[in-house]
Amino acid sequence: MENFRVLIVDDELDFLETILIRLQRRNVDAVGVSSGKMAIEMIEREHFDVAILDVRMPGIDGFETLREIKKRRPFMEVIMLTGHGSVESGIQGMQMGAFDYVLKPVKIDDLLDRVRKAFERKAIHEKKSGR
Amino acid sequence: MAENANKLTDRIHYILPYLPGVLTIVIALPVWFAAGPILGILAGVLGMGCTLTCHRILVRVREISDQKACLDAQLIQSQKLAAIGELSSGIAHEINNPLAIIGQEVQWIRHIVDKAAIGSEHHAELDESVTEIGKQVKRCAEITHKLLDFARKRDPLIQGCDVNRLIEDMVRLVERETAQKNIAIVRNYHEGLPELYTDHPLLRQVILNLLNNATYAIDKDGTITVKTLRKGQDALEILITDTGCGITSENIRKVFNPFFTTKPPGKGTGLGLSLCHSIIHKLGGDIRVESEPGKGATFIIRLPMNYAEGENLI
Ligand SMILES: Nc1ncnc2c1ncn2[C@@H]1O[C@H](COP(=O)(O)OP(=O)(O)OP(=O)(O)O)[C@@H](O)[C@H]1O
Ligand SMILES: [Mg+2]
């Protein structure tokens, strides 16, 4: 088992399902939800290290979810995942504190690599803050 | 008058150190006649050695004072940027709350308008007007957020990074937009670079901003070249070159200043490059620009390669 927990947030259920199965097959402890609202509820209840957020979602979109996550869990790292990436939204994501901004489609091993880096950053951050 | 006097003392200062050497050479001739060739040659050689050494020392002194002037200028530039950053974030902070209240009131007005004025002849006009207020408030809020972000003390978190890959990710993102404008992107990555210890999201932000500026400067039909290279044992350079409009010699001093922009009003905040500047300095490096107006511009980032994981840069 990898030693981190991942939350995946995407309103496209097929995509969510596929990515969950692939991560779990690689021994990653991953949970999926299909909206920003559910994501926020989820992180209030359970512990996660890294979140993968779809940018475009109905209701609370990826950026708003990012903001809420950072407010509640400042050490959690967030990777933005999008099928409609633009430079403008990439800059916005980074400015709002995302760790990475990744274009769909993405190879699962590539994504996992990024999750590992994000988790490493979280660990460094916590160590630096004396936690 | 004073200037002339200054020039004169300058000249004297310049000549003075050479004097002993030159005198010794001049004296060498009489010595030759008086005390024979050996002592004469000795005096000549001594004089020349003395003059040469003096010259070398002088050159070195001048080099050092030039370097100092350059460092002073850089220091002033970062202090200036820091001061402006502090000031603007102070203002942004103060304006943020009233802005939020205006935003809420606008929503309330809209609610009332919809209820009370529906069907009345002024409804459409009122509606349009309220919408416009809402739009402008949103625009102001975007600016204040950018400003607050600019000044936020986000300490870098340092971890190992494959720079070429990080840059390539950002290039791919930009390529979606450049492809439609007939802008080619040329990659010139130095293969086999060692891992760079840096802050990933901060560096991403810088690269994206520079690529975005390059795209804007070209508008359409042109080339952006992205290059990485190693500078000696402990530094690395990232060069982003475009074939866009370039920067006039008058503007080139100002491009890193916050709020400096040549974009039409409402299009740019002029915070992109000042943000890049402050990030790169936080990462222990520096950023500069070279440009030939009308031909294009090159932004050059230099980053140190000798930091270790989790190390604090400041
Ligand atoms: N590659 C470039 N070629 C020519 N001029 C440039 C280039 N990059 C920046 N500049 C000049 O520097 C100015 C400041 O750039 P900066 O990124 O700080 O703000 P901006 O791009 O104008 O606005 P924003 O980044 O907020 O959209 C630009 O308006 C432009 O005049
Ligand atoms: Mg810009």
Side-chain angles (χ1 to χ4, degrees):
Chain A
M1 215 49 170
E2 300 266 11
N3 54 345
F4 46 77
R5 276 198 101 204
V6 185
L7 177 67
I8 305 154
V9 189
D10 202 308
D11 61 311
E12 239 177 278
L13 290 177
D14 288 345
F15 179 82
L16 191 63
E17 193 71 11
T18 331
I19 215 169
L20 266 177
I21 291 173
R22 289 193 181 154
L23 282 177
Q24 282 158 359
R25 219 181 275 153
R26 283 164 179 77
N27 277 328
V28 176
D29 185 1
V31 175
V33 293
S34 60
S35 76
K37 189 162 170 283
M38 284 162 82
I40 296 162
E41 285 165 9
M42 198 62 159
I43 62 151
E44 300 250 293
R45 273 204 315 265
E46 290 179 30
H47 169 88
F48 291 95
D49 298 293
V50 179
I52 300 172
L53 297 183
D54 187 21
V55 174
R56 265 201 209 175
M57 291 186 289
I60 304 180
D61 72 0
F63 288 131
E64 256 177 82
T65 313
L66 166 65
R67 187 177 289 139
E68 294 305 316
I69 289 181
K70 282 280 167 186
K71 233 191 263 168
R72 292 172 167 81
R73 300 279 180 269
F75 289 97
M76 222 173 124
E77 288 297 339
V78 174
I79 295 172
M80 307 302 287
L81 191 58
T82 175
H84 320 264
S86 73
V87 178
E88 216 48 62
S89 102
I91 292 179
Q92 195 187 342
M94 294 301 140
Q95 242 159 25
M96 289 175 62
F99 172 74
D100 206 346
Y101 184 93
V102 185
L103 296 173
K104 281 184 197 171
V106 58
K107 291 213 178 72
I108 195 74
D109 288 314
D110 184 29
L111 186 63
L112 190 50
D113 249 15
R114 293 166 196 272
V115 174
R116 286 200 189 98
K117 273 283 171 202
F119 176 61
E120 180 188 80
R121 179 179 168 90
K122 178 174 182 259
I124 292 171
H125 194 184
E126 285 174 338
K127 203 170 124 201
K128 236 177 110 171
S129 319
R131 286 182 40 149
Chain B
M1 203 43 212
E3 216 170 86
N4 274 345
N6 262 345
K7 263 189 202 152
L8 197 68
T9 46
D10 260 8
R11 212 164 288 161
I12 291 173
H13 272 291
Y14 186 73
I15 295 171
L16 217 57
Y18 289 106
L19 223 55
V22 174
L23 273 181
T24 322
I25 297 175
V26 172
I27 292 168
L29 214 64
V31 170
W32 184 310
F33 285 122
I38 295 184
L39 275 182
I41 289 173
L42 215 61
V45 169
L46 199 73
M48 269 191 288
C50 192
T51 315
L52 269 178
T53 314
C54 276
H55 181 67
R56 255 190 232 137
I57 292 174
L58 273 184
V59 168
R60 188 82 190 104
V61 165
R62 205 156 304 134
E63 270 173 20
I64 290 172
S65 66
D66 281 355
Q67 277 171 7
K68 183 172 174 298
C70 184
L71 284 176
D72 283 350
Q74 277 181 12
L75 192 66
I76 290 172
Q77 170 80 350
S78 0
Q79 280 171 348
K80 191 174 82 187
L81 291 186
I84 301 177
E86 224 158 273
L87 178 71
S88 43
S89 81
I91 296 172
H93 204 85
E94 291 301 320
I95 290 179
N96 232 1
N97 283 335
L99 215 52
I101 295 171
I102 298 175
Q104 282 160 13
E105 293 299 319
V106 168
Q107 275 184 359
W108 183 236
I109 293 176
R110 144 144 295 143
H111 182 74
I112 297 174
V113 165
D114 281 350
K115 254 190 172 171
I118 212 147
S120 106
E121 51 174 326
H122 297 301
H123 181 247
E125 243 174 284
L126 267 174
D127 189 67
E128 201 175 299
S129 178
V130 172
T131 307
E132 189 58 29
I133 296 176
K135 238 192 339 207
Q136 296 304 327
V137 168
K138 200 166 163 228
R139 199 175 124 200
C140 291
E142 268 163 30
I143 297 174
T144 53
H145 282 156
K146 264 198 184 176
L147 276 176
L148 287 173
D149 193 83
F150 172 67
R152 183 159 60 212
K153 301 244 177 327
R154 208 190 279 159
D155 275 353
L157 289 170
I158 305 303
Q159 61 186 139
C161 170
D162 178 345
V163 189
N164 288 343
R165 191 170 157 200
L166 185 147
I167 296 174
E168 178 61 21
D169 284 345
M170 299 303 110
V171 166
R172 289 235 182 101
L173 182 55
V174 174
E175 222 165 21
R176 303 175 136 215
E177 278 159 42
T178 51
Q180 298 152 15
K181 299 176 175 175
N182 195 28
I183 299 174
I185 303 192
V186 176
R187 282 102 158 151
N188 200 341
Y189 301 136
H190 186 297
E191 293 300 327
L193 277 180
E195 277 213 316
L196 173 75
Y197 280 86
T198 194
D199 185 296
H200 295 211
L202 288 181
L203 189 56
R204 283 196 187 96
Q205 217 172 311
V206 172
I207 306 290
L208 263 187
N209 263 302
L210 294 182
L211 289 172
N212 200 19
N213 283 349
T215 310
Y216 188 86
I218 294 175
D219 190 27
K220 52 178 185 285
D221 307 325
T223 310
I224 299 174
T225 309
V226 183
K227 184 173 172 161
T228 53
L229 67 134
R230 222 178 146 160
K231 276 279 164 176
Q233 270 305 302
D234 44 32
L236 169 143
E237 274 186 4
I238 304 167
L239 289 88
I240 297 181
T241 304
D242 65 70
T243 56
C245 58
I247 307 167
T248 63
S249 58
E250 185 196 345
N251 285 349
I252 205 156
R253 287 176 294 113
K254 305 182 205 155
V255 291
F256 292 109
N257 288 354
F259 305 115
F260 176 78
T261 180
T262 52
K263 286 184 177 172
K267 286 281 181 196
T269 53
L271 285 173
L273 281 179
S274 54
L275 194 68
C276 292
H277 185 275
S278 98
I279 288 175
I280 293 298
H281 275 254
K282 266 191 217 166
L283 296 176
D286 55 61
I287 176 168
R288 65 199 154 87
V289 55
E290 288 166 4
S291 173
E292 201 176 323
K295 296 234 168 115
T298 301
F299 282 83
I300 304 158
I301 300 170
R302 199 193 51 81
L303 286 170
M305 287 214 291
N306 45 5
Y307 287 111
E309 186 173 283
E311 190 179 338
N312 211 343
L313 292 182
I314 323 167

